[in-house]
Amino acid sequence: MPDFKYDGFTEVVMVSQKDKLNGEDHRSSGNYLFTKEAFAPCNKVKWSCPAGISFCVKRDHKAAKDDVVLEGVCDGSITKLPAGEGIYIADPVGASESFSIKVTKFE
């Protein structure tokens, strides 16, 4: 039987609504997990989404104000990996419908 080693995902697809979710001030998506166990170890990622859309990436905190991790993310952006739990999309600009965001390990 061949050896198999799981090194984590190299790509994650996130889904965001065009506007903030009901009852939320900024959030337009659910939470995503970007831990070492889930996402392949890397320092940078590339973001792909429909042209003309930009957004922020935030980290959810239960009893405190959420952190802004990244701002002005758009198609082709290369950023640091937003490592941690509770990562979500916020404040989308330019979207006319819900959209997908592909986050790919960048080397």
Side-chain angles (χ1 to χ4, degrees), residues 23-80:
E24 296 288 343
D25 293 331
H26 302 277
R27 173 192 294 275
S28 61
S29 79
N31 285 347
Y32 290 84
L33 180 69
F34 284 85
T35 63
K36 291 178 184 175
E37 294 80 22
F39 206 85
C42 65
N43 293 319
K44 293 184 179 183
V45 292
K46 182 175 181 178
W47 300 81
S48 301
C49 67
I53 296 176
S54 63
F55 51 89
C56 294
V57 177
K58 291 190 166 192
R59 180 175 292 110
D60 189 21
H61 292 288
K62 299 273 186 224
K65 185 176 178 181
D66 294 352
D67 297 333
V68 176
V69 178
L70 301 168
E71 294 182 285
V73 179
C74 59
D75 187 47
S77 291
I78 297 170
T79 69
K80 65 180 181 176

Coordinates of all heavy atoms in Angstrom, one line a residue, residues 23-80:
G23 N -28.7 41.2 10.2 CA -28.3 41.4 11.6 C -26.8 41.6 11.8 O -26.4 41.7 12.9
E24 N -26.1 41.7 10.7 CA -24.6 41.9 10.8 C -24.2 43.3 10.4 O -24.9 43.9 9.5 CB -23.9 40.9 10.0 CG -24.1 39.4 10.4 CD -23.3 39.1 11.7 OE1 -22.4 39.9 12.1 OE2 -23.7 38.1 12.3
D25 N -23.2 43.9 10.9 CA -22.7 45.2 10.5 C -21.8 45.1 9.3 O -21.8 46.1 8.5 CB -22.0 45.8 11.7 CG -22.9 46.2 12.9 OD1 -24.1 46.4 12.6 OD2 -22.4 46.2 14.0
H26 N -21.0 44.0 9.2 CA -20.0 44.0 8.1 C -20.0 42.6 7.4 O -19.7 42.5 6.2 CB -18.6 44.3 8.6 CG -18.5 45.6 9.3 ND1 -18.3 46.7 8.6 CD2 -18.6 46.0 10.6 CE1 -18.3 47.8 9.4 NE2 -18.5 47.3 10.6
R27 N -20.3 41.6 8.1 CA -20.1 40.2 7.6 C -21.0 39.9 6.4 O -22.2 40.2 6.4 CB -20.4 39.2 8.8 CG -20.5 37.8 8.4 CD -21.1 36.9 9.5 NE -20.3 36.9 10.7 CZ -19.3 36.1 10.9 NH1 -19.0 35.2 10.0 NH2 -18.6 36.1 12.0
S28 N -20.4 39.2 5.4 CA -21.2 38.8 4.2 C -21.0 37.3 3.9 O -21.5 36.8 2.9 CB -20.8 39.6 3.0 OG -19.4 39.5 2.7
S29 N -20.2 36.6 4.8 CA -20.0 35.2 4.6 C -20.0 34.5 6.0 O -20.0 35.1 7.0 CB -18.7 34.9 3.9 OG -17.6 35.0 4.8
G30 N -20.0 33.2 5.9 CA -19.8 32.4 7.2 C -18.3 32.4 7.5 O -17.5 33.0 6.8
N31 N -18.0 31.7 8.6 CA -16.6 31.6 9.1 C -15.9 30.5 8.3 O -16.5 29.4 8.0 CB -16.5 31.3 10.6 CG -16.9 32.5 11.4 OD1 -16.9 33.6 10.9 ND2 -17.1 32.2 12.7
Y32 N -14.6 30.7 8.1 CA -13.7 29.7 7.4 C -12.5 29.5 8.3 O -12.1 30.3 9.1 CB -13.3 30.2 6.1 CG -14.4 30.2 5.1 CD1 -15.3 31.3 5.0 CD2 -14.7 29.1 4.2 CE1 -16.4 31.3 4.1 CE2 -15.7 29.1 3.4 CZ -16.6 30.2 3.3 OH -17.6 30.2 2.4
L33 N -11.9 28.3 8.2 CA -10.8 27.8 9.0 C -9.5 27.8 8.2 O -9.5 27.1 7.2 CB -11.1 26.4 9.6 CG -10.1 25.8 10.4 CD1 -10.1 26.5 11.8 CD2 -10.5 24.3 10.6
F34 N -8.6 28.6 8.6 CA -7.3 28.7 8.0 C -6.2 28.3 9.0 O -5.3 29.1 9.3 CB -7.0 30.1 7.4 CG -7.8 30.4 6.1 CD1 -9.1 30.8 6.2 CD2 -7.2 30.1 4.9 CE1 -9.8 31.1 5.0 CE2 -7.9 30.4 3.7 CZ -9.2 30.9 3.8
T35 N -6.2 27.1 9.5 CA -5.2 26.7 10.5 C -4.2 25.8 9.7 O -4.4 25.4 8.6 CB -5.9 25.8 11.6 OG1 -6.4 24.7 11.0 CG2 -6.9 26.7 12.4
K36 N -3.1 25.5 10.4 CA -2.0 24.7 9.8 C -2.6 23.3 9.5 O -2.1 22.7 8.5 CB -0.9 24.6 10.8 CG -0.1 25.9 11.0 CD 1.0 25.7 12.0 CE 1.7 27.0 12.2 NZ 2.7 26.9 13.3
E37 N -3.5 22.8 10.3 CA -4.1 21.5 10.0 C -5.0 21.5 8.8 O -5.1 20.5 8.1 CB -4.9 21.0 11.2 CG -4.1 20.8 12.5 CD -3.7 22.1 13.2 OE1 -4.4 23.1 13.1 OE2 -2.7 22.0 14.0
A38 N -5.6 22.6 8.5 CA -6.6 22.7 7.3 C -5.9 23.2 6.0 O -6.2 22.6 5.0 CB -7.8 23.6 7.7
F39 N -5.1 24.2 6.1 CA -4.6 24.8 4.9 C -3.1 24.5 4.8 O -2.4 24.5 5.8 CB -4.8 26.3 5.0 CG -4.8 27.0 3.6 CD1 -6.0 27.0 2.9 CD2 -3.7 27.5 3.0 CE1 -6.1 27.6 1.6 CE2 -3.7 28.1 1.8 CZ -4.9 28.1 1.1
A40 N -2.6 24.1 3.7 CA -1.2 23.8 3.5 C -0.3 24.9 4.0 O -0.6 26.1 3.8 CB -0.9 23.5 2.0
P41 N 0.7 24.6 4.7 CA 1.6 25.6 5.3 C 2.2 26.5 4.2 O 2.7 26.0 3.2 CB 2.7 24.8 5.9 CG 2.2 23.5 6.2 CD 1.2 23.2 5.1
C42 N 2.0 27.8 4.4 CA 2.5 28.8 3.4 C 2.4 30.1 4.1 O 1.8 30.3 5.1 CB 1.7 28.8 2.1 SG -0.1 29.3 2.3
N43 N 3.1 31.1 3.5 CA 3.1 32.5 4.0 C 2.2 33.4 3.2 O 1.7 34.3 3.7 CB 4.5 33.0 4.0 CG 5.5 32.3 4.9 OD1 5.1 32.0 6.0 ND2 6.7 32.1 4.5
K44 N 2.0 33.1 1.9 CA 1.2 33.9 1.1 C 0.1 33.1 0.3 O 0.3 31.9 0.1 CB 2.1 34.6 0.1 CG 3.0 35.6 0.7 CD 3.8 36.4 -0.4 CE 4.7 37.4 0.3 NZ 5.4 38.2 -0.7
V45 N -1.0 33.8 0.0 CA -2.1 33.3 -0.8 C -2.5 34.3 -1.9 O -2.2 35.5 -1.8 CB -3.3 32.9 0.1 CG1 -3.0 31.8 1.0 CG2 -3.8 34.1 0.8
K46 N -3.1 33.7 -2.9 CA -3.6 34.5 -4.0 C -5.1 34.4 -4.0 O -5.7 33.3 -3.9 CB -3.1 34.0 -5.4 CG -3.5 34.9 -6.6 CD -2.9 34.4 -7.9 CE -3.4 35.3 -9.0 NZ -2.8 34.9 -10.3
W47 N -5.8 35.6 -4.2 CA -7.2 35.7 -4.1 C -7.8 35.8 -5.5 O -7.3 36.6 -6.3 CB -7.6 36.9 -3.3 CG -7.2 36.8 -1.9 CD1 -5.9 37.1 -1.4 CD2 -7.9 36.4 -0.8 NE1 -5.8 36.9 -0.1 CE2 -7.0 36.5 0.4 CE3 -9.2 36.0 -0.6 CZ2 -7.4 36.2 1.7 CZ3 -9.6 35.6 0.7 CH2 -8.7 35.8 1.8
S48 N -8.8 35.0 -5.9 CA -9.4 35.1 -7.2 C -10.9 35.3 -7.0 O -11.5 34.5 -6.2 CB -9.2 33.9 -8.0 OG -7.8 33.7 -8.2
C49 N -11.5 36.3 -7.6 CA -12.9 36.5 -7.5 C -13.3 37.3 -8.8 O -12.5 37.7 -9.6 CB -13.3 37.3 -6.2 SG -12.6 39.0 -6.2
P50 N -14.6 37.5 -9.0 CA -15.1 38.2 -10.2 C -14.4 39.6 -10.2 O -14.3 40.3 -9.2 CB -16.6 38.3 -10.0 CG -16.9 37.1 -9.1 CD -15.8 37.0 -8.2
A51 N -14.1 40.1 -11.4 CA -13.5 41.4 -11.6 C -14.5 42.5 -11.1 O -15.7 42.4 -11.2 CB -13.2 41.6 -13.1
G52 N -13.9 43.5 -10.5 CA -14.7 44.7 -10.1 C -15.2 44.6 -8.6 O -15.8 45.5 -8.1
I53 N -14.9 43.4 -8.0 CA -15.3 43.3 -6.6 C -14.1 43.4 -5.7 O -13.0 42.9 -6.0 CB -16.0 41.9 -6.4 CG1 -17.2 41.8 -7.2 CG2 -16.3 41.6 -4.9 CD1 -17.9 40.4 -7.2
S54 N -14.3 44.1 -4.5 CA -13.3 44.1 -3.5 C -13.9 43.9 -2.2 O -15.2 44.0 -2.0 CB -12.5 45.4 -3.5 OG -13.4 46.5 -3.2
F55 N -13.2 43.5 -1.2 CA -13.7 43.2 0.1 C -12.7 43.2 1.2 O -11.5 43.3 0.9 CB -14.4 41.8 0.1 CG -13.5 40.7 -0.5 CD1 -12.7 40.0 0.4 CD2 -13.5 40.4 -1.8 CE1 -11.8 39.0 -0.1 CE2 -12.7 39.4 -2.3 CZ -11.8 38.7 -1.5
C56 N -13.1 43.1 2.5 CA -12.2 43.0 3.6 C -12.3 41.5 4.1 O -13.2 40.8 3.8 CB -12.7 43.9 4.7 SG -12.5 45.6 4.4
V57 N -11.2 41.1 4.8 CA -11.2 39.8 5.5 C -11.1 40.1 7.0 O -10.2 40.9 7.4 CB -10.0 39.0 5.0 CG1 -10.0 37.7 5.8 CG2 -10.1 38.7 3.5
K58 N -12.0 39.5 7.7 CA -12.0 39.8 9.2 C -11.9 38.5 10.0 O -12.1 37.4 9.4 CB -13.2 40.5 9.6 CG -13.3 41.9 9.1 CD -14.4 42.7 9.7 CE -14.3 44.2 9.5 NZ -15.2 44.9 10.3
R59 N -11.6 38.6 11.3 CA -11.5 37.4 12.2 C -12.6 37.6 13.2 O -12.6 38.7 13.9 CB -10.1 37.3 12.8 CG -10.0 36.1 13.8 CD -8.6 35.9 14.3 NE -7.7 35.5 13.3 CZ -6.7 36.3 12.8 NH1 -6.5 37.5 13.2 NH2 -5.9 35.8 11.8
D60 N -13.4 36.6 13.4 CA -14.5 36.6 14.3 C -14.0 36.5 15.8 O -13.2 35.6 16.0 CB -15.5 35.5 14.0 CG -16.8 35.5 14.7 OD1 -17.1 36.6 15.2 OD2 -17.4 34.4 14.8
H61 N -14.5 37.3 16.6 CA -14.3 37.2 18.1 C -15.7 37.2 18.8 O -16.5 38.0 18.5 CB -13.5 38.4 18.6 CG -12.1 38.4 18.1 ND1 -11.1 37.5 18.6 CD2 -11.4 39.1 17.2 CE1 -10.0 37.7 18.0 NE2 -10.1 38.7 17.1
K62 N -15.9 36.2 19.6 CA -17.2 36.1 20.3 C -17.6 37.3 21.1 O -18.7 37.8 21.1 CB -17.2 34.8 21.1 CG -17.0 33.5 20.3 CD -18.3 33.0 19.7 CE -18.0 31.7 19.1 NZ -18.7 31.6 17.8
A63 N -16.7 37.7 22.0 CA -17.0 38.7 23.0 C -16.2 40.0 22.8 O -16.1 40.8 23.7 CB -16.8 38.2 24.4
A64 N -15.7 40.2 21.6 CA -14.9 41.4 21.3 C -15.1 41.9 19.9 O -15.7 41.2 19.1 CB -13.4 41.2 21.6
K65 N -14.6 43.1 19.6 CA -14.8 43.6 18.2 C -13.9 42.7 17.3 O -12.8 42.4 17.6 CB -14.3 45.0 18.2 CG -14.5 45.7 16.8 CD -14.1 47.1 16.9 CE -14.3 47.7 15.5 NZ -13.9 49.1 15.5
D66 N -14.5 42.4 16.1 CA -13.7 41.5 15.2 C -12.5 42.3 14.6 O -12.6 43.5 14.4 CB -14.7 41.1 14.0 CG -15.7 40.1 14.5 OD1 -15.7 39.7 15.7 OD2 -16.6 39.8 13.7
D67 N -11.4 41.6 14.3 CA -10.2 42.2 13.8 C -10.3 42.3 12.3 O -10.8 41.4 11.6 CB -9.0 41.3 14.0 CG -8.7 41.1 15.5 OD1 -9.0 42.0 16.3 OD2 -8.1 40.1 15.8
V68 N -9.9 43.4 11.7 CA -9.7 43.5 10.2 C -8.3 42.9 10.0 O -7.3 43.3 10.4 CB -9.7 45.0 9.8 CG1 -9.4 45.0 8.3 CG2 -11.1 45.6 10.1
V69 N -8.3 41.8 9.2 CA -7.1 41.1 8.8 C -6.5 41.6 7.5 O -5.3 41.9 7.4 CB -7.4 39.6 8.7 CG1 -6.1 38.8 8.3 CG2 -7.9 39.0 10.0
L70 N -7.4 41.9 6.5 CA -7.0 42.4 5.2 C -8.0 43.4 4.7 O -9.2 43.1 4.9 CB -6.8 41.3 4.2 CG -5.8 40.2 4.5 CD1 -6.0 39.0 3.6 CD2 -4.4 40.7 4.4
E71 N -7.6 44.4 4.0 CA -8.5 45.4 3.4 C -8.2 45.5 1.9 O -7.1 45.3 1.5 CB -8.4 46.7 4.1 CG -8.8 46.8 5.5 CD -8.6 48.2 6.1 OE1 -7.5 48.6 6.4 OE2 -9.7 48.8 6.3
G72 N -9.3 45.8 1.2 CA -9.1 46.1 -0.3 C -8.7 44.9 -1.1 O -8.0 45.0 -2.1
V73 N -9.1 43.7 -0.7 CA -8.7 42.5 -1.4 C -9.5 42.4 -2.7 O -10.7 42.7 -2.6 CB -8.9 41.2 -0.5 CG1 -8.6 40.0 -1.3 CG2 -8.1 41.3 0.8
C74 N -8.9 42.1 -3.8 CA -9.6 42.0 -5.1 C -9.0 40.9 -5.9 O -8.0 40.3 -5.5 CB -9.6 43.3 -5.8 SG -8.0 43.9 -6.2
D75 N -9.5 40.7 -7.1 CA -9.0 39.6 -7.9 C -7.6 39.8 -8.2 O -7.1 40.9 -8.6 CB -9.8 39.6 -9.3 CG -9.5 38.4 -10.1 OD1 -9.4 37.3 -9.6 OD2 -9.3 38.6 -11.3
G76 N -6.8 38.8 -8.0 CA -5.3 38.8 -8.2 C -4.5 39.3 -7.1 O -3.3 39.2 -7.1
S77 N -5.1 39.7 -6.0 CA -4.4 40.1 -4.8 C -3.5 39.0 -4.2 O -4.0 37.8 -4.2 CB -5.3 40.6 -3.7 OG -6.0 41.8 -4.0
I78 N -2.3 39.3 -3.8 CA -1.5 38.3 -3.2 C -1.2 38.9 -1.8 O -0.7 40.1 -1.7 CB -0.2 38.1 -3.9 CG1 -0.5 37.5 -5.3 CG2 0.8 37.2 -3.1 CD1 0.7 37.4 -6.3
T79 N -1.6 38.2 -0.8 CA -1.5 38.7 0.6 C -0.9 37.6 1.5 O -0.7 36.5 1.1 CB -2.9 39.0 1.2 OG1 -3.6 37.8 1.4 CG2 -3.6 40.0 0.3
K80 N -0.6 38.0 2.8 CA -0.3 37.0 3.8 C -1.4 36.1 4.0 O -2.6 36.4 3.7 CB 0.1 37.7 5.1 CG -1.0 38.4 5.7 CD -0.6 39.1 7.0 CE -1.9 39.8 7.6 NZ -1.6 40.3 8.9

